[in-house]
Amino acid sequence: MATDRAQPAPSAPGDETPLRVLLPQVLPAVLVGVGASLLFLGISALAEQLQGVFWDDLPDALGIGGHSSLWIIFMLTATGVAVGLVVWKMPGHAGPDPASTGLGGAPLAPGVVPGLLLASALALTGGVSLGPENPIIAANIALAYWLGRKAQPALPGAAWVSLASAATIGALFGTPVAAALVISEALAGQPGRGSLWDRLFAPLVAAGTGAMTTQLLAEPTFALGLPPLTDPGWGDLLAALVIASAAAVFGLGACYLFPHVHAVFQRLRHPMLMLPLGGLVLGLLGALGGPLTLFKGLEEVKELTSSIGGWSSGELARLAVVKLLALLVAASCGFRGGRIFPAVFIGAAFGLLTQALVPEVHPAVAVSSAVLGVLLATTRQGWISLFTGAVLAGSTAMLALLCLASLPAWLIVTGRPQLELDEHGHALR
């Protein structure tokens, strides 16, 4: 995640003990953690309820299959129209072009947040292949910065950005570990006084509170029920190295295409042209790939991995390619959302494809290594990629394999185009 833009909480002045500096940060961190989680859970619950209405209740009432090709095309196109209206008419136009924004960043104006959240909820409801992470983090940063500066102006604005970023990451993953890894990576290149744990103290409180709030209210799980790898051998290591590298190359394909596809949509200039057309293309891709290639992909990847051995190599290749193209189009035409959860589905489908071609490969090795490779290519976040791959595998034995597999995969992706553009429409590297 691009939390390199997030700044750490202020370090202790020389004449104050760390304890006197850190303790006052606990209450703000707790409040931000709870608020970040509640906003994430609220948007997710709203999208889930609307999804049931538009994908189950309404087509059933009309006597149409909710997953028929015509309904998929209609829903994605209608979602493009709805999000286009929000981007066109709402204050702040639902934030900047998502193609040129990562996770975190400078706080948005509070007036932009309603449009951003509405556009995100509509995309989640309508089956767009994007996750909630980018808009939720941006909204939480904007709200924490705005409210925090009013309530406690003595605390620097950068501290509120750091707390909101960590809290939202903790809420999204249901654990503060992911936030600790990402914030540590961000702090590595930043000057600051005090030990690393002093600087991590308040963000970890926020991340832990956000994670616990999510766990208590929603009980999220990322476990895929893959057969555990208990005794890895040299063959497993070789498979992990090859699959992670191949998946990274596969993910890079979308990164190279990204500026060109984005430029095509930008020529339309108006959101009421870009987004409906993008929705139509997504609908056609969804009709080709089927219902598993819709939505952010978290529940769909669980369904995908529940039938290991039941998919042909052709079916898995189609799922992986269609989902990668859907992510590319959704990120290019202006839909608000994140790339992480769709990338997990792409990686899982690619991993199962390799396992279908070479049945001797352990399913946990295939899926977690491929997810690692695709995430490295599309996010350039090493810690998040490792963490996600390990969590999906549900096996501590996979951690050493993934650490080693990340090395050749990183050599492949580093310095290559990212799935993010600069202000001129050029791919970041």
Side-chain angles (χ1 to χ4, degrees):
M1 296 184 177
T3 48
D4 53 327
R5 300 181 179 89
Q7 300 294 321
S11 56
D15 58 347
E16 292 186 301
T17 65
L19 187 64
R20 293 181 60 185
V21 173
L22 297 178
L23 283 180
Q25 299 177 29
V26 171
L27 181 58
V30 168
L31 293 176
V32 171
V34 172
S37 177
L38 291 178
L39 182 62
F40 162 61
L41 293 174
I43 293 298
S44 299
L46 174 62
E48 185 177 339
Q49 291 297 319
L50 292 175
Q51 183 179 327
V53 171
F54 287 104
W55 288 94
D56 296 319
D57 299 341
L58 183 56
D60 287 347
L62 296 174
I64 304 171
H67 291 150
S68 68
S69 296
L70 288 177
W71 188 254
I72 289 173
I73 295 171
F74 168 77
M75 277 298 304
L76 268 300
T77 305
T79 301
V81 172
V83 175
L85 285 170
V86 171
V87 174
W88 181 26
K89 293 296 187 181
M90 289 287 286
H93 305 291
D97 181 2
S100 59
T101 57
L103 297 177
L108 300 174
V112 178
V113 172
L116 177 62
L117 292 178
L118 179 57
S120 174
L122 290 171
L124 291 171
T125 298
V128 176
S129 292
L130 292 172
E133 59 272 19
N134 286 38
I136 294 296
I137 290 180
N140 278 328
I141 287 175
L143 294 175
Y145 182 86
W146 178 55
L147 295 173
R149 296 287 285 169
K150 288 181 176 294
Q152 200 170 346
L155 194 62
W160 296 107
V161 173
S162 178
L163 293 179
S165 299
T168 313
I169 295 171
L172 284 164
F173 286 92
T175 171
V177 175
L181 294 172
V182 174
I183 297 297
S184 298
E185 188 174 16
L187 291 176
Q190 296 175 358
R193 301 176 62 180
S195 70
L196 175 63
W197 281 99
D198 283 346
R199 300 166 71 191
L200 279 175
F201 181 83
L204 276 181
V205 172
T209 306
M212 283 301 301
T213 304
T214 300
Q215 289 283 356
L216 291 172
L217 297 179
E219 299 182 356
T221 177
F222 290 88
L224 300 181
L226 296 170
L229 179 69
T230 56
D231 188 20
W234 292 108
D236 296 312
L237 175 58
L238 178 61
L241 293 169
V242 173
I243 293 172
S245 299
V249 172
F250 183 66
L252 276 178
C255 300
Y256 276 100
L257 290 173
F258 190 37
H260 305 291
V261 177
H262 179 263
V264 170
F265 281 104
Q266 287 300 305
R267 291 192 185 100
L268 300 176
R269 297 184 179 274
H270 200 283
M272 286 305 294
L273 295 175
M274 292 188 294
L275 283 152
L277 177 60
L280 174 60
V281 175
L282 290 176
L284 295 171
L285 287 171
L288 175 63
L292 278 184
T293 59
L294 303 177
F295 304 103
K296 64 183 181 182
L298 186 57
E299 295 303 317
E300 289 72 23
V301 78
K302 295 177 182 178
E303 184 177 346
L304 180 68
T305 56
S306 67
S307 302
I308 295 176
W311 302 95
S312 70
S313 57
E315 290 173 324
L316 292 167
R318 174 171 55 85
L319 291 173
V321 171
V322 168
K323 190 68 173 181
L324 186 69
L325 293 175
L327 172 59
L328 174 63
V329 172
S332 300
C333 69
F335 282 108
R336 272 52 178 170
R339 285 84 146 162
I340 292 176
F341 293 112
V344 169
F345 181 94
I346 295 165
F350 188 92
L352 290 180
L353 169 61
T354 64
Q355 200 269 336
L357 294 173
V358 187
E360 293 79 11
V361 176
H362 194 284
V365 174
V367 171
S368 56
S369 301
V371 168
L372 169 68
V374 173
L375 281 174
L376 284 174
T378 55
T379 70
R380 299 303 148 86
Q381 297 294 325
W383 285 123
I384 284 293
S385 303
L386 274 171
F387 172 81
T388 305
V391 167
L392 294 178
S395 171
T396 56
M398 275 299 307
L399 190 55
L401 295 183
L402 291 176
C403 286
L404 292 173
S406 69
L407 301 179
W410 182 257
L411 291 177
I412 290 171
V413 303
T414 187
R416 308 291 182 184
Q418 300 183 30
L419 205 62
E420 185 178 341
L421 307 178
D422 61 20
E423 64 273 14
H424 304 296
H426 301 137
L428 296 178
R429 292 176 182 263

